Amino acid sequence: MAPRLASVWKRFSSTATSTFTAKSVPSKIHLHQPIPDECFPKGYTLTGIHCGVKKDPNAFDLAVLLSTTPTPTSTAACFTRNAFKAAPVTVSQEVLTRSAGRARALVVNSGCANAVTGKQGIEDAWAMVRATDALLGTSSNTNETLVMSTGVIGQHLPIAKIVAGIQNKSSESLGAGFAAWDRFARAFMTTDTFPKLRARTFTVGGENTYRLAGVDKGAGMIHPNMAPHATLLGCIATDAAVSPRSLQSALTYAVDRSFNSISVDGDMSTNDTIVIMANGAAEGTEIDEERDRASYEAFRDELTDFAQNLAQLVVRDGEGATKFVTVSVDGAISYEDAHKVASRISTSALVKTALYGEDANWGRILAATGSIPLSTPLDPTRVSVSFIPTDGSKPLPLLVNGEPEKVDEVRAKEIVSLEDLEIRVDLGLGKESAKYWTCDFSYEYVRINGDYRS
């Protein structure tokens, strides 16, 4: 930590602890558990290795995933809307546009974001694409690889080490079961405290069984705003057959209700990317929203639930986080309005610090709620706020139809002291609702981000 920052931190922490003692951040490694090999989708081979981006020789920093099907795989993605899009975002968008939504490989490096790196950054991203294309063993002149990078902004990649890793090391450890997916997930990590990996089986129409597997990363710089065409990076693979247009439609819907509904610190990264591949390696008719709407919606809803599970892992691993908080907004005129209010509450520094201090200051929640212009103006006399404990005990109303309740402060303190809790706001205007997942702000968050480059 820089000397000046260290002295500021010392004064800050000594002053703050005169009010209450800083809590230790709970371990989250229990959120990563072995998964049976049969839960992972067919037709993919992947790995994670160390190639030299990170200084620690034991830290994986390069991930490769290949679809082993002979034809290009349906692929969709949602990318950051940040004006400073990183080179891998620009290159991946171009690959998907040229291929009309088909690709067969993904390559990811951690330790360097390749963001704000000019022409050299673009050339380096293409070098990663071409090196991974070569692993596919085809003579196609079409690029079939998407690329992601995460880490420090404004530094060039050690591209020679990365290309050598792709060419010489990645094929040695390629696999298809839990061990391979675990290596792949670990290669995504930067400030993450555990690899974020999930897999499941599901059915569509009660007949065909498919598999989903997904990896994501992120612990800070998390408040995604992604659209078609932390850094938060995510890769989802399925062996279902889905048309490119329907895969993009399903992913856009799922991301809006998952990765675009989480916030650790309210900062949008230059590299945020979520990719899904559907290679059709399992038996079954291709899913398409125009040909069979029911099957498409079943797949879309399964993907949304799966994406929410992955996204919540990012919040649970928020830098310095001691709490996982669900913000539910009901009674809105539109989903968009509900989502805006939930986002505002989730990103409020005043709300997040009160949660860390276990202070049931619901006035901060109300102030955040009323600060967002909506399609229909709020009527303060119709708004209600409650704390919902996740231990199954009785909810605690704080405000009912604009009138403050006589709050049991001891009970309120008990609820906000829980590791998991829910804040529920009813706008009293309509029937639409939305959820957001967030965490608290702690001293540890300041420490991590204060010396990230030191």
Side-chain angles (χ1 to χ4, degrees):
M1 189 183 297
R4 181 177 180 277
L5 179 59
S7 63
V8 171
W9 170 254
K10 185 176 180 180
R11 292 197 305 272
F12 169 67
S13 58
S14 63
T15 301
T17 52
S18 65
T19 304
F20 55 86
T21 303
K23 302 187 295 294
S24 61
V25 177
S27 172
K28 298 146 186 173
I29 191 63
H30 66 282
L31 294 169
H32 179 62
Q33 298 292 333
I35 300 170
D37 287 353
E38 59 267 22
C39 292
F40 293 97
K42 300 176 181 178
Y44 296 95
T45 184
L46 66 166
T47 191
I49 64 169
H50 175 79
C51 72
V53 183
K54 295 176 181 176
K55 295 178 181 179
D56 182 355
N58 297 312
F60 293 165
D61 53 19
L62 182 67
V64 173
L65 178 145
L66 309 175
S67 173
T68 59
T69 54
T71 56
T73 295
S74 291
T75 305
C78 291
F79 299 101
T80 183
R81 287 177 174 169
N82 195 303
F84 288 96
K85 289 180 175 63
V89 171
T90 300
V91 168
S92 292
Q93 286 178 312
E94 187 170 340
V95 169
L96 277 182
T97 299
R98 288 179 182 177
S99 67
R102 294 190 183 275
R104 290 178 59 207
L106 172 69
V107 60
V108 184
N109 79 271
S110 57
C112 178
N114 192 12
V116 198
T117 46
K119 293 180 180 179
Q120 184 63 51
I122 295 292
E123 292 175 6
D124 290 346
W126 278 116
M128 293 174 66
V129 168
R130 289 190 295 270
T132 310
D133 281 344
L135 299 179
L136 295 170
T138 66
S139 58
S140 172
N141 292 323
T142 302
N143 296 118
E144 298 182 90
T145 299
L146 302 186
V147 59
M148 298 179 184
S149 297
T150 180
V152 177
I153 294 172
Q155 296 183 2
H156 290 295
L157 292 171
I159 192 61
K161 293 180 179 180
I162 292 174
V163 170
I166 297 169
Q167 293 174 336
N168 304 325
K169 295 182 180 180
S170 62
S171 60
E172 298 174 2
S173 57
L174 287 170
F178 171 75
W181 278 94
D182 182 61
R183 292 174 68 91
F184 183 74
R186 291 178 186 277
F188 275 61
M189 295 169 62
T190 51
T191 59
D192 305 68
T193 65
F194 66 92
K196 300 169 178 64
L197 169 64
R198 289 291 183 267
R200 68 169 64 167
T201 59
F202 67 100
T203 60
V204 172
E207 299 178 1
N208 300 313
T209 298
Y210 304 111
R211 284 147 289 273
L212 272 170
V215 165
D216 61 2
K217 64 85 52 188
M221 205 174 185
I222 301 296
H223 186 75
N225 184 5
M226 292 177 284
H229 324 311
T231 300
L232 189 149
L233 300 183
C235 170
I236 299 173
T238 181
D239 51 16
V242 187
S243 68
R245 65 181 177 186
S246 293
L247 191 64
Q248 184 64 69
S249 177
L251 181 65
T252 300
Y253 181 94
V255 164
D256 192 43
R257 290 157 178 78
S258 57
F259 296 103
N260 278 357
S261 295
I262 62 173
S263 185
V264 170
D265 49 22
D267 280 322
M268 186 201 313
S269 171
T270 56
N271 294 57
D272 290 339
T273 305
I274 302 296
V275 168
I276 182 170
M277 292 184 173
N279 66 4
E283 295 182 2
T285 304
E286 183 181 69
I287 297 169
D288 184 85
E289 56 194 310
E290 293 188 4
R291 291 195 296 267
D292 185 348
R293 186 72 188 180
S295 292
Y296 163 75
E297 289 184 353
F299 171 77
R300 180 200 67 189
D301 293 346
E302 189 71 40
L303 176 62
T304 300
D305 184 72
F306 186 70
Q308 287 176 345
N309 191 294
L310 278 175
Q312 289 171 23
L313 291 177
V314 174
V315 177
R316 290 190 181 278
D317 199 23
E319 290 173 346
T322 69
K323 296 187 184 305
F324 176 84
V325 184
T326 301
V327 178
S328 301
V329 176
D330 301 326
I333 292 293
S334 66
Y335 171 78
E336 291 73 20
D337 279 356
H339 196 259
K340 285 179 182 178
V341 173
S343 174
R344 180 67 189 91
I345 296 169
S346 298
T347 56
S348 167
L350 290 177
V351 171
K352 291 161 78 70
T353 51
L355 288 167
Y356 177 70
E358 298 177 353
D359 176 12
N361 192 339
W362 58 269
R364 294 182 177 183
I365 299 168
L366 204 61
T369 300
S371 67
I372 294 293
L374 304 178
S375 60
T376 298
L378 280 179
D379 179 350
T381 66
R382 301 173 71 174
V383 176
S384 300
V385 179
S386 301
F387 284 155
I388 313 296
T390 53
D391 60 3
S393 57
K394 189 177 179 181
L396 180 66
L398 307 168
L399 183 78
V400 178
N401 293 327
E403 293 291 334
E405 293 288 285
K406 186 176 181 180
V407 177
D408 181 342
E409 293 293 343
V410 174
R411 177 60 182 148
K413 174 78 171 178
E414 289 174 351
I415 295 175
V416 295
S417 297
L418 296 171
E419 230 176 86
D420 283 29
L421 68 142
E422 178 181 351
I423 296 169
R424 185 174 297 169
V425 177
D426 192 322
L427 303 181
L429 297 174
K431 297 182 179 180
E432 294 296 323
S433 62
K435 289 185 184 294
Y436 234 83
W437 295 278
T438 191
C439 57
D440 55 345
F441 267 160
S442 70
Y443 301 149
E444 181 69 4
Y445 175 84
V446 179
R447 187 197 64 77
I448 291 170
N449 285 278
D451 65 4
Y452 180 61
R453 296 207 318 162
S454 299

